[in-house]
Amino acid sequence: MHDERPIDDRFEEALRRAIDAQCGADCPPRLAAAMRHGVFPAGARVRPRLLLAVADAFAAPLDAGALDVAVAIELMHGASLVQDDLPCFDDAATRRAQPSVHAAFDERLAILASDGLIMAAYQRLAEAPGVPPRARLRLVTLLARHSGSNGGITGGQAWESEARVDLERYHAAKTGALFAACTEAGAVLGGAPVDALPEWAALGARVGAAYQIADDLKDATGDEAALGKPVNVDARLERPNATRQLGLEGATQRLRDHVAALLGAIPPCRRPERLQTAILVEA
Protein backbone atom coordinates (compact mmCIF):
# COMPACT_ATOMS: atom_id res chain seq x y z
CA MET A 1 0.00 0.00 0.00
CA HIS A 2 1.35 3.40 -0.98
CA ASP A 3 2.23 5.68 1.95
CA GLU A 4 0.54 9.04 1.37
CA ARG A 5 2.24 10.85 4.23
CA PRO A 6 4.55 13.79 3.43
CA ILE A 7 8.09 12.71 2.55
CA ASP A 8 9.50 14.67 5.51
CA ASP A 9 7.35 12.68 7.96
CA ARG A 10 8.36 9.39 6.38
CA PHE A 11 12.01 10.41 6.50
CA GLU A 12 11.90 11.27 10.20
CA GLU A 13 10.26 7.92 10.95
CA ALA A 14 12.94 6.08 8.95
CA LEU A 15 15.65 8.00 10.80
CA ARG A 16 14.17 7.04 14.16
CA ARG A 17 14.07 3.39 13.10
CA ALA A 18 17.74 3.54 12.12
CA ILE A 19 18.68 4.98 15.51
CA ASP A 20 16.49 2.46 17.31
CA ALA A 21 18.35 -0.35 15.54
CA GLN A 22 21.64 0.89 17.05
CA CYS A 23 20.19 1.60 20.50
CA GLY A 24 18.85 -1.76 21.58
CA ALA A 25 19.07 -3.54 24.92
CA ASP A 26 22.84 -4.01 24.67
CA CYS A 27 23.57 -0.32 23.98
CA PRO A 28 24.50 1.65 27.13
CA PRO A 29 21.55 3.96 27.88
CA ARG A 30 23.55 7.20 28.00
CA LEU A 31 25.24 6.39 24.69
CA ALA A 32 21.82 5.74 23.16
CA ALA A 33 20.59 9.08 24.51
CA ALA A 34 23.66 10.89 23.16
CA MET A 35 23.17 9.39 19.69
CA ARG A 36 19.53 10.45 19.63
CA HIS A 37 20.55 13.91 20.83
CA GLY A 38 22.95 14.16 17.88
CA VAL A 39 20.23 13.90 15.24
CA PHE A 40 17.06 15.14 16.97
CA PRO A 41 15.25 17.47 16.96
CA ALA A 42 15.30 17.84 13.20
CA GLY A 43 17.51 20.47 11.65
CA ALA A 44 17.03 21.66 8.08
CA ARG A 45 17.72 18.15 6.69
CA VAL A 46 19.20 19.84 3.61
CA ARG A 47 21.29 16.86 2.54
CA PRO A 48 18.61 14.15 2.55
CA ARG A 49 16.23 16.58 0.85
CA LEU A 50 18.78 17.09 -1.93
CA LEU A 51 19.36 13.35 -2.33
CA LEU A 52 15.63 12.67 -2.62
CA ALA A 53 15.21 15.59 -5.03
CA VAL A 54 17.81 14.07 -7.36
CA ALA A 55 16.13 10.66 -7.20
CA ASP A 56 12.82 12.37 -7.91
CA ALA A 57 14.35 14.15 -10.92
CA PHE A 58 14.90 10.68 -12.40
CA ALA A 59 11.30 9.78 -11.50
CA ALA A 60 12.65 7.12 -9.14
CA PRO A 61 10.21 6.05 -6.41
CA LEU A 62 10.76 7.77 -3.07
CA ASP A 63 10.19 4.49 -1.28
CA ALA A 64 11.70 2.82 1.77
CA GLY A 65 14.94 2.11 -0.11
CA ALA A 66 15.42 5.76 -1.08
CA LEU A 67 14.62 6.82 2.48
CA ASP A 68 17.21 4.40 3.88
CA VAL A 69 19.89 5.97 1.67
CA ALA A 70 18.84 9.49 2.69
CA VAL A 71 18.92 8.40 6.34
CA ALA A 72 22.49 7.11 5.96
CA ILE A 73 23.62 10.48 4.63
CA GLU A 74 21.94 12.32 7.51
CA LEU A 75 23.50 9.97 10.07
CA MET A 76 26.95 10.69 8.65
CA HIS A 77 26.20 14.41 8.68
CA GLY A 78 25.03 14.17 12.30
CA ALA A 79 28.25 12.40 13.25
CA SER A 80 30.30 15.18 11.66
CA LEU A 81 28.38 17.85 13.58
CA VAL A 82 28.98 16.09 16.89
CA GLN A 83 32.71 16.14 16.14
CA ASP A 84 32.64 19.71 14.83
CA ASP A 85 31.17 20.96 18.12
CA LEU A 86 33.79 19.30 20.34
CA PRO A 87 36.05 21.53 22.48
CA CYS A 88 39.06 20.54 20.38
CA PHE A 89 37.35 21.94 17.26
CA ASP A 90 34.64 24.65 17.52
CA ASP A 91 33.96 24.28 21.25
CA ALA A 92 30.29 24.98 20.50
CA ALA A 93 27.93 24.87 23.46
CA THR A 94 24.75 24.73 21.36
CA ARG A 95 23.43 23.05 18.24
CA ARG A 96 19.84 23.23 16.91
CA ALA A 97 18.92 25.53 19.81
CA GLN A 98 19.82 22.94 22.43
CA PRO A 99 23.07 21.95 24.17
CA SER A 100 25.54 20.24 21.84
CA VAL A 101 26.18 16.57 22.53
CA HIS A 102 29.38 17.05 24.52
CA ALA A 103 27.71 19.82 26.55
CA ALA A 104 24.64 17.71 27.30
CA PHE A 105 26.63 14.56 28.10
CA ASP A 106 30.44 14.69 28.05
CA GLU A 107 33.29 14.54 25.55
CA ARG A 108 33.74 10.79 25.83
CA LEU A 109 30.11 10.07 25.04
CA ALA A 110 30.11 12.66 22.24
CA ILE A 111 33.02 10.91 20.52
CA LEU A 112 31.40 7.50 20.96
CA ALA A 113 28.03 8.82 19.79
CA SER A 114 29.72 10.10 16.63
CA ASP A 115 31.28 6.66 16.10
CA GLY A 116 27.88 5.05 16.62
CA LEU A 117 26.23 7.33 14.07
CA ILE A 118 28.91 6.55 11.49
CA MET A 119 28.43 2.82 11.98
CA ALA A 120 24.66 3.28 11.80
CA ALA A 121 25.05 5.06 8.46
CA TYR A 122 26.99 2.19 6.90
CA GLN A 123 24.71 -0.45 8.40
CA ARG A 124 21.67 1.35 6.98
CA LEU A 125 23.21 1.34 3.49
CA ALA A 126 24.48 -2.21 3.66
CA GLU A 127 21.13 -3.59 4.80
CA ALA A 128 18.75 -1.39 2.78
CA PRO A 129 16.31 -4.08 1.58
CA GLY A 130 14.70 -1.92 -1.09
CA VAL A 131 18.01 -1.23 -2.88
CA PRO A 132 19.55 -3.83 -5.25
CA PRO A 133 22.80 -5.36 -3.90
CA ARG A 134 25.00 -3.89 -6.64
CA ALA A 135 23.62 -0.40 -6.00
CA ARG A 136 24.13 -0.88 -2.25
CA LEU A 137 27.81 -1.63 -2.77
CA ARG A 138 28.18 1.45 -4.96
CA LEU A 139 26.45 3.57 -2.31
CA VAL A 140 28.64 2.26 0.52
CA THR A 141 31.73 2.99 -1.57
CA LEU A 142 30.70 6.51 -2.51
CA LEU A 143 29.79 7.41 1.08
CA ALA A 144 33.18 6.16 2.26
CA ARG A 145 34.93 8.18 -0.46
CA HIS A 146 33.08 11.41 0.28
CA SER A 147 33.48 10.94 4.05
CA GLY A 148 37.16 9.99 4.02
CA SER A 149 40.50 11.73 4.37
CA ASN A 150 41.27 12.25 0.67
CA GLY A 151 38.95 15.11 -0.21
CA GLY A 152 36.12 13.92 2.04
CA ILE A 153 34.68 15.43 5.20
CA THR A 154 37.38 13.87 7.42
CA GLY A 155 40.03 15.62 5.37
CA GLY A 156 37.96 18.79 5.44
CA GLN A 157 37.96 18.84 9.23
CA ALA A 158 41.68 18.08 9.28
CA TRP A 159 42.51 21.09 7.07
CA GLU A 160 41.76 23.22 10.12
CA SER A 161 44.93 21.79 11.70
CA GLU A 162 47.15 22.96 8.84
CA ALA A 163 49.08 26.23 8.93
CA ARG A 164 47.82 27.24 5.50
CA VAL A 165 44.72 26.17 3.64
CA ASP A 166 43.09 27.22 0.40
CA LEU A 167 39.53 28.37 1.12
CA GLU A 168 37.91 26.58 -1.82
CA ARG A 169 39.81 23.36 -1.13
CA TYR A 170 38.80 23.47 2.51
CA HIS A 171 35.13 24.12 1.74
CA ALA A 172 35.08 21.50 -1.03
CA ALA A 173 36.10 18.81 1.45
CA LYS A 174 34.43 19.92 4.66
CA THR A 175 31.06 20.79 3.11
CA GLY A 176 30.99 20.02 -0.59
CA ALA A 177 31.96 16.37 -0.27
CA LEU A 178 28.82 15.25 1.55
CA PHE A 179 26.65 17.27 -0.82
CA ALA A 180 28.43 15.47 -3.66
CA ALA A 181 27.58 12.18 -1.95
CA CYS A 182 23.90 13.24 -1.91
CA THR A 183 23.64 14.02 -5.60
CA GLU A 184 25.71 11.01 -6.63
CA ALA A 185 23.64 8.70 -4.42
CA GLY A 186 20.41 10.17 -5.76
CA ALA A 187 21.64 9.50 -9.30
CA VAL A 188 22.48 5.90 -8.36
CA LEU A 189 18.93 5.46 -7.07
CA GLY A 190 17.65 6.98 -10.30
CA GLY A 191 19.57 4.48 -12.42
CA ALA A 192 22.01 6.96 -13.94
CA PRO A 193 24.80 5.41 -16.04
CA VAL A 194 28.02 4.86 -14.12
CA ASP A 195 29.93 7.22 -16.39
CA ALA A 196 27.45 10.01 -15.55
CA LEU A 197 27.97 9.76 -11.78
CA PRO A 198 30.99 12.14 -11.68
CA GLU A 199 28.80 14.85 -13.25
CA TRP A 200 26.24 14.36 -10.52
CA ALA A 201 28.92 14.47 -7.83
CA ALA A 202 30.21 17.72 -9.36
CA LEU A 203 26.72 19.18 -9.16
CA GLY A 204 26.55 18.35 -5.47
CA ALA A 205 29.95 19.92 -4.90
CA ARG A 206 28.61 23.12 -6.48
CA VAL A 207 25.56 23.05 -4.23
CA GLY A 208 27.85 22.53 -1.24
CA ALA A 209 30.01 25.50 -2.24
CA ALA A 210 26.94 27.75 -2.37
CA TYR A 211 25.66 26.38 0.92
CA GLN A 212 29.00 26.95 2.65
CA ILE A 213 29.24 30.57 1.50
CA ALA A 214 25.70 31.14 2.75
CA ASP A 215 26.73 29.56 6.06
CA ASP A 216 29.81 31.80 6.24
CA LEU A 217 27.58 34.83 5.75
CA LYS A 218 25.31 33.62 8.55
CA ASP A 219 28.33 33.07 10.80
CA ALA A 220 29.47 36.63 10.18
CA THR A 221 26.11 38.42 10.31
CA GLY A 222 23.56 36.03 11.82
CA ASP A 223 21.84 35.90 15.19
CA GLU A 224 22.75 33.05 17.54
CA ALA A 225 19.22 32.70 18.90
CA ALA A 226 17.73 32.50 15.40
CA LEU A 227 20.36 30.05 14.11
CA GLY A 228 20.39 27.87 17.22
CA LYS A 229 24.20 27.72 17.25
CA PRO A 230 27.13 30.07 18.01
CA VAL A 231 28.09 32.77 15.50
CA ASN A 232 31.45 34.44 14.69
CA VAL A 233 33.11 31.07 15.28
CA ASP A 234 35.43 31.32 12.26
CA ALA A 235 36.67 34.77 13.26
CA ARG A 236 37.27 33.62 16.85
CA LEU A 237 39.23 30.56 15.70
CA GLU A 238 40.91 32.41 12.79
CA ARG A 239 39.65 29.88 10.28
CA PRO A 240 39.09 30.33 6.53
CA ASN A 241 35.77 32.01 5.81
CA ALA A 242 34.37 33.54 2.64
CA THR A 243 33.42 36.80 4.34
CA ARG A 244 36.87 37.19 5.87
CA GLN A 245 38.55 36.57 2.52
CA LEU A 246 36.11 38.30 0.15
CA GLY A 247 34.25 40.75 2.37
CA LEU A 248 30.48 40.74 2.80
CA GLU A 249 29.76 42.10 -0.68
CA GLY A 250 32.27 39.79 -2.34
CA ALA A 251 30.94 36.72 -0.53
CA THR A 252 27.36 37.65 -1.41
CA GLN A 253 28.28 38.04 -5.07
CA ARG A 254 30.16 34.72 -5.02
CA LEU A 255 27.01 33.07 -3.65
CA ARG A 256 24.90 34.58 -6.45
CA ASP A 257 27.41 33.36 -9.02
CA HIS A 258 27.32 29.81 -7.63
CA VAL A 259 23.52 29.68 -7.64
CA ALA A 260 23.34 30.99 -11.22
CA ALA A 261 25.90 28.40 -12.36
CA LEU A 262 24.04 25.60 -10.58
CA LEU A 263 20.89 25.98 -12.58
CA GLY A 264 22.75 25.37 -15.82
CA ALA A 265 24.82 22.48 -14.49
CA ILE A 266 22.16 19.82 -13.94
CA PRO A 267 23.10 16.66 -15.90
CA PRO A 268 20.50 14.90 -18.05
CA CYS A 269 17.50 13.53 -16.13
CA ARG A 270 13.77 13.15 -16.73
CA ARG A 271 12.56 16.10 -14.61
CA PRO A 272 15.33 18.72 -14.35
CA GLU A 273 12.87 21.53 -13.62
CA ARG A 274 11.85 19.88 -10.33
CA LEU A 275 15.47 19.61 -9.27
CA GLN A 276 16.07 23.25 -10.21
CA THR A 277 13.23 24.25 -7.91
CA ALA A 278 14.58 22.11 -5.06
CA ILE A 279 18.08 23.59 -5.45
CA LEU A 280 16.75 27.15 -5.39
CA VAL A 281 14.82 26.41 -2.20
CA GLU A 282 17.91 24.99 -0.46
CA ALA A 283 20.39 27.54 -1.86
Side-chain angles (χ1 to χ4, degrees):
M1 183 176 178
H2 182 66
D3 194 333
E4 299 293 341
R5 290 177 300 162
I7 189 68
D8 289 350
D9 292 347
R10 292 193 286 131
F11 173 80
E12 293 300 320
E13 181 181 284
L15 183 58
R16 290 186 186 280
R17 284 200 306 268
I19 293 292
D20 288 345
Q22 292 291 316
C23 298
D26 291 330
C27 178
R30 293 191 71 232
L31 174 59
M35 289 173 64
R36 295 183 196 283
H37 194 90
V39 292
F40 299 112
R45 307 297 196 215
V46 173
R47 290 154 189 82
R49 286 174 184 267
L50 177 61
L51 186 154
L52 294 170
V54 172
D56 181 62
F58 282 90
L62 302 185
D63 55 12
L67 288 170
D68 278 340
V69 179
V71 162
I73 294 287
E74 186 65 11
L75 289 168
M76 186 64 76
H77 174 55
S80 74
L81 295 183
V82 174
Q83 293 184 15
D84 207 32
D85 289 339
L86 285 169
C88 60
F89 290 114
D90 285 3
D91 194 14
T94 57
R95 170 72 66 176
R96 295 171 178 155
Q98 66 178 2
S100 54
V101 176
H102 73 86
F105 297 88
D106 58 39
E107 288 184 53
R108 296 176 303 171
L109 279 173
I111 293 168
L112 293 172
S114 178
D115 287 345
L117 293 174
I118 292 169
M119 295 304 105
Y122 285 116
Q123 182 173 351
R124 187 58 29 178
L125 282 184
E127 295 180 350
V131 179
R134 182 173 294 181
R136 267 184 267 159
L137 177 59
R138 187 165 290 142
L139 290 163
V140 168
T141 301
L142 76 84
L143 183 59
R145 174 164 33 90
H146 290 301
S147 301
S149 57
N150 189 29
I153 57 175
T154 301
Q157 190 79 43
W159 277 118
E160 295 174 5
S161 299
E162 298 292 332
R164 294 182 180 180
V165 56
D166 176 78
L167 180 68
E168 290 191 8
R169 191 178 191 185
Y170 168 58
H171 283 175
K174 186 171 182 182
T175 303
L178 205 55
F179 277 88
C182 292
T183 49
E184 188 175 344
V188 170
L189 290 172
V194 174
D195 59 2
L197 295 181
E199 291 182 76
W200 284 99
L203 176 69
R206 285 175 178 263
V207 176
Y211 185 86
Q212 183 59 58
I213 292 174
D215 196 61
D216 284 358
L217 286 164
K218 291 174 186 176
D219 183 68
T221 65
D223 176 74
E224 182 169 336
L227 294 174
K229 64 178 182 178
V231 295
N232 297 316
V233 173
D234 291 339
R236 173 170 57 86
L237 298 176
E238 298 185 345
R239 284 205 311 234
N241 179 294
T243 59
R244 296 182 68 209
Q245 180 171 311
L246 304 171
L248 287 175
E249 289 187 10
T252 301
Q253 185 57 52
R254 180 71 64 84
L255 175 59
R256 292 194 190 105
D257 293 343
H258 275 305
V259 173
L262 276 171
L263 299 182
I266 295 176
C269 56
R270 289 180 61 181
R271 303 191 290 211
E273 71 287 346
R274 292 172 66 142
L275 183 53
Q276 285 181 341
T277 300
I279 288 173
L280 283 173
V281 169
E282 301 302 349

